[in-house]
Amino acid sequence: MSLLHTNISDSKINCSEQWWVDLINGDKSGLEAIYDYYVDDLYRYGMAINNNNSLIKDCIQEVFISLWKYRNNLKKGVNVKSYLYRCLSNKIQKEIVKDRKKFHSNSIENFEYLFLVDSCEKKMIDKQLLSELQQKLSTGITSLPDRQKEVIHLLFFENKTYEEVSNIMSINLRSVYTLAWKAISKLKKLIAAISLLLFACNF
């Protein structure tokens, strides 16, 4: 990473932190700046959880309405993007439950090699296949239950750690691994099929 890119990134982070402070201090321009800067990321993240366009837009609006309404309760020094993701995730899940949409997140009985998900499967998808198969994988990812889609999006498209995902989704770490394991198990079949197809095409 170049020094220029680093300085630009640091500048954006500093701006985000200042906007957050402005929001807490009752300056509505801080809220507007945060909205303008993060709304596209929030929309993509929301659609990765649930592809109901109107639901996601409504939830994003509700998140920012709540930020302004409860600004006096906000804390300084937070990771603004992660905080917004967590708020949006919680809001979407509440709306899904309220609308009585099907949502399944059944726990799996104890399984071995839990942490191999991070060291093996994540590297396999992230480094070897994702860049080449992302378009075709999107169909498989779309078919996953909402919470599994959210985990996959955060881990492999947002490059979040399992600990960060746990914080954003407001679930414990083991649940994150469980959801990731379930999703990857389903996607592995698709990955294997596409890999064989690509291998055959090279000969």
Side-chain angles (χ1 to χ4, degrees), residues 10-95:
D10 291 343
S11 176
K12 289 181 178 180
I13 292 173
N14 291 336
C15 286
S16 179
E17 292 174 350
Q18 183 57 54
W19 296 333
W20 189 256
V21 172
D22 292 340
L23 166 62
I24 293 174
N25 291 334
D27 186 346
K28 205 163 189 177
S29 66
L31 177 70
E32 294 170 351
I34 292 172
Y35 178 88
D36 290 339
Y37 188 73
Y38 287 111
V39 64
D40 290 339
D41 286 339
L42 289 170
Y43 179 76
R44 285 191 293 269
Y45 173 55
M47 290 297 289
I49 301 173
N50 187 290
N51 62 0
N52 185 327
N53 179 64
S54 60
L55 171 67
I56 300 308
K57 289 183 176 179
D58 288 344
C59 286
I60 291 173
Q61 293 298 323
E62 287 296 324
V63 166
F64 281 91
I65 290 173
S66 295
L67 283 178
W68 181 251
K69 183 177 181 180
Y70 300 107
R71 61 188 181 278
N72 293 328
N73 297 327
L74 299 176
K75 297 180 180 180
K76 296 180 180 179
V78 303
N79 183 310
V80 178
K81 186 175 183 180
S82 292
Y83 185 88
L84 293 174
Y85 274 17
R86 184 167 67 252
C87 290
L88 182 58
S89 175
N90 291 338
K91 183 63 179 176
I92 292 171
Q93 301 310 325
K94 288 179 181 178
E95 290 301 317

Side-chain angles (χ1 to χ4, degrees), residues 3 20 112 126 145 157:
L3 179 59
W20 189 256
E112 296 180 351
D126 208 14
F157 294 89

